[in-house]
Coordinates of all heavy atoms in Angstrom, one line a residue:
V444 N -4.2 -4.2 -11.7 CA -4.1 -4.9 -10.4 C -4.6 -4.0 -9.3 O -5.4 -4.4 -8.4 CB -2.7 -5.4 -10.1 CG1 -2.6 -6.0 -8.7 CG2 -2.3 -6.5 -11.1
A445 N -4.1 -2.7 -9.3 CA -4.5 -1.8 -8.2 C -6.0 -1.6 -8.2 O -6.7 -1.5 -7.2 CB -3.8 -0.5 -8.4
A446 N -6.6 -1.5 -9.4 CA -8.1 -1.3 -9.5 C -8.8 -2.5 -9.0 O -9.9 -2.3 -8.5 CB -8.5 -1.0 -11.0
L447 N -8.2 -3.7 -9.1 CA -8.9 -4.9 -8.7 C -8.5 -5.3 -7.2 O -8.8 -6.4 -6.8 CB -8.5 -6.1 -9.6 CG -9.1 -5.9 -11.0 CD1 -8.6 -7.1 -11.9 CD2 -10.6 -5.8 -11.0
V448 N -7.9 -4.3 -6.5 CA -7.6 -4.6 -5.1 C -8.3 -3.5 -4.3 O -9.1 -3.9 -3.4 CB -6.1 -4.5 -4.8 CG1 -5.8 -4.5 -3.3 CG2 -5.3 -5.6 -5.5
H449 N -8.1 -2.2 -4.5 CA -8.8 -1.2 -3.7 C -8.8 0.1 -4.4 O -7.8 0.5 -5.0 CB -8.2 -1.1 -2.3 CG -9.1 -0.5 -1.3 ND1 -9.3 0.8 -1.2 CD2 -9.8 -1.1 -0.3 CE1 -10.2 1.1 -0.2 NE2 -10.4 -0.1 0.4
A450 N -9.8 0.9 -4.3 CA -9.9 2.2 -5.0 C -8.8 3.2 -4.5 O -8.3 4.0 -5.3 CB -11.3 2.8 -4.7
Y451 N -8.4 3.1 -3.2 CA -7.4 4.0 -2.8 C -6.1 3.7 -3.4 O -5.3 4.6 -3.8 CB -7.2 3.9 -1.2 CG -8.3 4.7 -0.5 CD1 -9.5 4.2 -0.2 CD2 -8.0 6.0 -0.1 CE1 -10.5 4.9 0.5 CE2 -8.9 6.8 0.6 CZ -10.2 6.2 0.9 OH -11.1 6.9 1.6
F452 N -5.7 2.4 -3.6 CA -4.5 2.1 -4.3 C -4.6 2.5 -5.8 O -3.6 2.9 -6.3 CB -4.3 0.6 -4.2 CG -3.9 0.1 -2.8 CD1 -4.4 -1.1 -2.3 CD2 -3.0 0.8 -2.1 CE1 -4.0 -1.5 -1.0 CE2 -2.6 0.4 -0.8 CZ -3.1 -0.8 -0.3
L453 N -5.7 2.4 -6.4 CA -5.9 2.8 -7.8 C -5.6 4.3 -7.9 O -4.9 4.7 -8.8 CB -7.3 2.5 -8.3 CG -7.6 3.0 -9.7 CD1 -6.7 2.5 -10.7 CD2 -9.1 2.7 -10.0
A454 N -6.2 5.1 -7.0 CA -6.0 6.5 -7.1 C -4.5 6.9 -6.9 O -4.0 7.7 -7.6 CB -6.9 7.2 -6.0
I455 N -3.9 6.3 -5.9 CA -2.5 6.5 -5.7 C -1.6 6.2 -6.9 O -0.7 6.9 -7.3 CB -2.0 5.8 -4.4 CG1 -2.6 6.4 -3.2 CG2 -0.5 5.8 -4.3 CD1 -2.4 5.6 -1.9
V456 N -1.8 5.0 -7.4 CA -1.0 4.5 -8.6 C -1.3 5.4 -9.8 O -0.4 5.7 -10.5 CB -1.3 3.1 -8.9 CG1 -0.6 2.6 -10.2 CG2 -0.9 2.2 -7.7
V457 N -2.5 5.8 -10.0 CA -2.8 6.7 -11.1 C -2.1 8.0 -11.0 O -1.5 8.5 -11.9 CB -4.4 7.0 -11.1 CG1 -4.6 8.2 -12.0 CG2 -5.1 5.8 -11.7
F458 N -2.0 8.6 -9.8 CA -1.3 9.9 -9.6 C 0.2 9.7 -9.8 O 0.8 10.6 -10.5 CB -1.5 10.4 -8.1 CG -2.8 11.1 -7.9 CD1 -3.8 10.7 -7.0 CD2 -3.1 12.3 -8.7 CE1 -4.9 11.4 -6.9 CE2 -4.2 13.0 -8.5 CZ -5.2 12.5 -7.6
L459 N 0.8 8.6 -9.4 CA 2.2 8.4 -9.6 C 2.5 8.1 -11.1 O 3.5 8.5 -11.6 CB 2.7 7.2 -8.7 CG 2.6 7.5 -7.2 CD1 3.2 6.3 -6.5 CD2 3.4 8.7 -6.8
W460 N 1.6 7.4 -11.8 CA 1.7 7.2 -13.2 C 1.7 8.5 -14.0 O 2.5 8.7 -14.8 CB 0.7 6.2 -13.7 CG 0.5 6.2 -15.2 CD1 1.5 5.9 -16.1 CD2 -0.7 6.5 -15.9 NE1 0.9 6.0 -17.4 CE2 -0.4 6.3 -17.3 CE3 -2.0 6.8 -15.5 CZ2 -1.4 6.5 -18.3 CZ3 -3.0 7.0 -16.5 CH2 -2.6 6.9 -17.8
I461 N 0.7 9.3 -13.7 CA 0.5 10.6 -14.4 C 1.8 11.4 -14.1 O 2.3 12.1 -15.1 CB -0.7 11.3 -13.9 CG1 -2.0 10.5 -14.4 CG2 -0.8 12.7 -14.5 CD1 -2.2 10.4 -15.9
A462 N 2.3 11.4 -12.9 CA 3.5 12.2 -12.6 C 4.6 11.7 -13.4 O 5.4 12.6 -13.9 CB 3.8 12.1 -11.1
N463 N 4.8 10.4 -13.5 CA 5.9 9.9 -14.3 C 5.7 10.2 -15.8 O 6.7 10.6 -16.5 CB 5.9 8.3 -14.1 CG 7.0 7.7 -14.9 OD1 6.7 6.9 -15.8 ND2 8.2 7.9 -14.6
L464 N 4.5 10.1 -16.3 CA 4.3 10.3 -17.7 C 4.5 11.8 -18.1 O 5.2 12.1 -19.1 CB 2.8 9.9 -18.1 CG 2.4 10.0 -19.6 CD1 3.3 9.1 -20.4 CD2 0.9 9.7 -19.7
F465 N 4.0 12.7 -17.3 CA 4.2 14.1 -17.5 C 5.7 14.5 -17.3 O 6.2 15.4 -18.0 CB 3.3 15.0 -16.6 CG 1.9 15.1 -17.1 CD1 1.1 14.0 -17.4 CD2 1.5 16.4 -17.4 CE1 -0.2 14.2 -17.8 CE2 0.2 16.6 -17.9 CZ -0.6 15.5 -18.1
G466 N 6.3 13.8 -16.4 CA 7.7 14.1 -16.1 C 8.6 13.7 -17.3 O 9.5 14.5 -17.7
I467 N 8.4 12.6 -17.9 CA 9.2 12.2 -19.0 C 8.9 13.0 -20.3 O 9.7 13.3 -21.1 CB 9.1 10.7 -19.4 CG1 7.7 10.3 -19.7 CG2 9.6 9.8 -18.2 CD1 7.5 8.9 -20.1
T468 N 7.6 13.5 -20.3 CA 7.3 14.4 -21.4 C 8.0 15.7 -21.3 O 8.5 16.3 -22.3 CB 5.7 14.6 -21.4 OG1 5.0 13.4 -21.5 CG2 5.3 15.5 -22.6
L469 N 8.1 16.2 -20.0 CA 8.8 17.4 -19.7 C 10.2 17.3 -20.1 O 10.9 18.3 -20.6 CB 8.6 17.8 -18.3 CG 9.2 19.1 -17.8 CD1 8.4 20.3 -18.4 CD2 9.1 19.2 -16.3
N470 N 10.8 16.2 -19.9 CA 12.2 15.9 -20.2 C 12.5 15.5 -21.6 O 13.6 15.2 -22.0 CB 12.8 14.9 -19.2 CG 12.8 15.4 -17.8 OD1 12.9 16.6 -17.5 ND2 12.7 14.4 -16.9
N471 N 11.4 15.4 -22.4 CA 11.5 15.0 -23.8 C 12.1 13.7 -24.0 O 12.9 13.4 -25.0 CB 12.3 16.1 -24.6 CG 11.5 17.4 -24.7 OD1 10.3 17.4 -24.9 ND2 12.2 18.5 -24.5
E472 N 11.9 12.8 -23.0 CA 12.5 11.4 -23.1 C 11.7 10.5 -24.0 O 12.2 9.5 -24.5 CB 12.6 10.8 -21.7 CG 13.6 11.6 -20.8 CD 13.6 11.0 -19.4 OE1 13.1 9.9 -19.2 OE2 14.2 11.7 -18.5
L473 N 10.5 10.8 -24.3 CA 9.7 10.1 -25.2 C 8.9 11.1 -26.2 O 8.7 12.2 -25.8 CB 8.6 9.2 -24.5 CG 9.2 8.0 -23.7 CD1 8.0 7.3 -23.0 CD2 9.9 7.0 -24.7
L474 N 8.6 10.6 -27.3 CA 7.9 11.4 -28.2 C 6.5 11.7 -27.6 O 5.9 10.9 -27.0 CB 7.7 10.7 -29.6 CG 9.0 10.5 -30.4 CD1 8.7 9.7 -31.6 CD2 9.7 11.8 -30.7
K475 N 6.0 13.0 -27.8 CA 4.8 13.4 -27.2 C 3.6 12.5 -27.7 O 2.6 12.2 -27.0 CB 4.5 14.8 -27.4 CG 5.5 15.8 -26.7 CD 5.1 17.2 -26.9 CE 6.1 18.1 -26.1 NZ 5.8 19.5 -26.3
K476 N 3.7 12.1 -29.0 CA 2.7 11.3 -29.6 C 2.5 10.0 -28.9 O 1.4 9.5 -28.6 CB 3.0 11.1 -31.1 CG 1.9 10.3 -31.8 CD 2.2 10.1 -33.3 CE 1.1 9.3 -34.0 NZ 1.5 9.1 -35.4
K477 N 3.7 9.4 -28.5 CA 3.6 8.1 -27.8 C 3.0 8.3 -26.4 O 2.3 7.4 -25.9 CB 5.1 7.5 -27.7 CG 5.6 7.0 -29.0 CD 6.9 6.3 -28.8 CE 7.5 5.7 -30.0 NZ 8.8 5.0 -29.8
N478 N 3.4 9.4 -25.8 CA 2.8 9.7 -24.5 C 1.3 9.9 -24.5 O 0.6 9.4 -23.6 CB 3.5 10.9 -23.9 CG 4.9 10.8 -23.6 OD1 5.5 9.7 -23.8 ND2 5.6 11.8 -23.2
I479 N 0.8 10.5 -25.5 CA -0.6 10.7 -25.6 C -1.3 9.4 -25.9 O -2.4 9.1 -25.3 CB -0.9 11.7 -26.8 CG1 -0.4 13.1 -26.5 CG2 -2.4 11.7 -27.1 CD1 -0.5 14.1 -27.6
I480 N -0.7 8.5 -26.7 CA -1.3 7.2 -26.9 C -1.3 6.4 -25.6 O -2.3 5.8 -25.3 CB -0.5 6.5 -28.0 CG1 -0.6 7.1 -29.4 CG2 -0.9 5.0 -28.1 CD1 0.2 6.6 -30.5
E481 N -0.2 6.5 -24.9 CA -0.2 5.8 -23.6 C -1.2 6.3 -22.7 O -1.9 5.5 -22.0 CB 1.2 5.9 -22.9 CG 1.3 5.3 -21.5 CD 2.6 5.5 -20.9 OE1 3.7 5.6 -21.6 OE2 2.7 5.5 -19.6
L482 N -1.4 7.6 -22.6 CA -2.4 8.2 -21.7 C -3.8 7.7 -22.1 O -4.6 7.2 -21.2 CB -2.4 9.7 -21.8 CG -3.4 10.5 -20.9 CD1 -3.1 10.2 -19.5 CD2 -3.3 11.9 -21.3

Side-chain angles (χ1 to χ4, degrees):
V444 172
L447 294 176
V448 172
H449 202 284
Y451 279 87
F452 289 138
L453 172 60
I455 289 170
V456 173
V457 165
F458 279 119
L459 296 183
W460 163 56
I461 293 296
N463 177 247
L464 185 62
F465 277 60
I467 60 175
T468 302
L469 185 66
N470 295 329
N471 294 317
E472 294 177 12
L473 288 177
L474 295 175
K475 291 183 179 180
K476 183 178 179 180
K477 288 186 177 180
N478 293 357
I479 293 172
I480 293 173
E481 177 182 329
L482 180 66

